[in-house]
Amino acid sequence: MAETNVQAATSGGHKHPYHLVDPSPWPLLGAFSGGLLAVGAVLYMHGSGWLLLALGLLSVLTVMAGWWRDVLKEAVRQKAHSPVVKLGLRYGMALFIASEVMFFVAFFWAYFDASLFPKEAIGGVWPPTNIETLDAFHLPLMMTLILLLSGTTVTWAHHAIIQGDNKTASVALGLSVLLGVLFSFFQMYEYSHATFGFTGGIYPSTFYMATGFHGFHVIVGTIFLAVCWWRTMAGHFTPKSHFGFEAAAWYWHFVDVVWLFLFIAVYWWGA
């Protein structure tokens, strides 16, 4: 036994189920790219042009591609994701979604503070008299149906993967990606036809921050699902090993739930 352990140590092996990752530039580059995107978005919202915003977005997408490439290499080629590692990944994804929940709680808090206790500066009423709100049962309702339908196609894909039917899973994931793109298209159309701008007061600020960040999450989730669609086509997922897809599904269902709260509170009740 001792000789075997020595051989494992001298050959670079280890005697534990954990995965010690190699040094990576992606966390630092990811932080820099995220900060660049945030600064670019703020400047764009205040009329300073879109160049920095585009550069930040390109940087984030580059980091995502490089980081996911390394994770796929660890999972598919190196077989480094043991059951213990996968459990850690599940905890990590669950905690990430919990942090996202608190992220949106802040926006809802600001919205309800302004709407339940309207200040004198806006006439003591909500919505402010100078705001023409959007009809909840027009475009927002259609967007709600699109997002809920995408949640069902993601669940369909999950069931197909569990059954080992990757062909059906790829079709369902492809539909999910298309629905995500369609939702983003309608949201951009809605923004372009809104009668109020981001700096037009407390209502536009809370409206665009809450729905806009949700829209950003939809875009990220759509990319996430597109990567899973490619991985399904490549045969990376098996009935017993497909946490990459499960993480994307958790994230997408979280996006669905947040939108339901936005639709009820902001579009319907708030109008």
Side-chain angles (χ1 to χ4, degrees):
M1 177 66 70
E3 183 179 355
T4 301
N5 292 339
V6 171
Q7 289 176 350
T10 56
S11 62
H14 52 73
K15 303 186 293 295
H16 57 76
Y18 302 98
H19 174 48
L20 304 178
V21 298
D22 297 327
S24 171
W26 303 123
L28 178 61
L29 292 178
F32 173 78
S33 301
L36 185 63
L37 178 61
V39 172
V42 170
L43 293 178
Y44 173 76
M45 294 175 190
H46 287 80
S48 298
W50 55 267
L51 183 59
L52 195 62
L53 174 62
L55 183 60
L57 179 60
L58 181 62
S59 300
V60 169
L61 292 176
T62 301
V63 170
M64 290 171 64
W67 205 337
W68 279 349
R69 180 202 62 191
D70 289 352
V71 173
L72 292 183
K73 180 180 177 181
E74 296 169 358
V76 178
R77 297 181 185 177
Q78 299 177 356
K79 306 295 184 183
H81 291 177
S82 65
V84 173
V85 173
K86 291 179 181 178
L87 181 61
L89 293 174
R90 290 178 181 275
Y91 284 143
M93 191 64 191
L95 290 173
F96 168 70
I97 292 178
S99 71
E100 292 284 278
V101 170
M102 299 310 298
F103 181 82
F104 279 99
V105 163
F107 294 138
F108 279 108
W109 189 297
Y111 179 81
F112 283 119
D113 177 70
S115 59
L116 293 175
F117 308 100
K119 308 301 186 288
E120 293 183 5
I122 60 174
V125 295
W126 189 266
T129 54
N130 64 327
I131 295 295
E132 182 182 348
T133 60
L134 300 169
D135 184 1
F137 296 99
H138 188 246
L139 196 57
L141 178 60
M142 182 185 297
M143 294 163 63
T144 302
L145 296 176
I146 290 172
L147 209 55
L148 291 178
L149 181 59
S150 70
T152 63
T153 55
V154 167
T155 302
W156 178 26
H158 193 189
H159 178 75
I161 290 175
I162 292 175
Q163 296 297 319
D165 187 359
N166 282 1
K167 183 177 180 180
T168 300
S170 64
V171 172
L173 274 173
L175 290 174
S176 302
V177 172
L178 289 177
L179 290 169
V181 171
L182 188 61
F183 178 92
S184 297
F185 170 80
F186 278 124
Q187 187 166 45
M188 288 186 290
Y189 179 85
E190 177 189 69
Y191 281 1
S192 67
H193 288 76
T195 59
F196 48 85
F198 181 77
T199 57
I202 184 62
Y203 182 92
S205 296
T206 53
F207 174 85
Y208 283 118
M209 287 297 289
T211 61
F213 266 105
H214 175 269
F216 174 76
H217 282 71
V218 170
I219 293 173
V220 172
T222 302
I223 297 173
F224 206 167
L225 292 176
V227 172
C228 289
W229 173 80
W230 173 79
R231 292 191 65 189
T232 302
M233 297 288 288
H236 290 179
F237 297 137
T238 66
K240 293 185 178 180
S241 181
H242 53 271
F243 176 70
F245 169 81
E246 286 184 308
W250 292 0
Y251 187 87
W252 195 254
H253 291 315
F254 160 74
V255 169
D256 283 348
V257 172
V258 171
W259 177 257
L260 289 177
F261 280 101
L262 286 172
F263 176 77
I264 294 172
V266 177
Y267 285 99
W268 183 17
W269 176 83

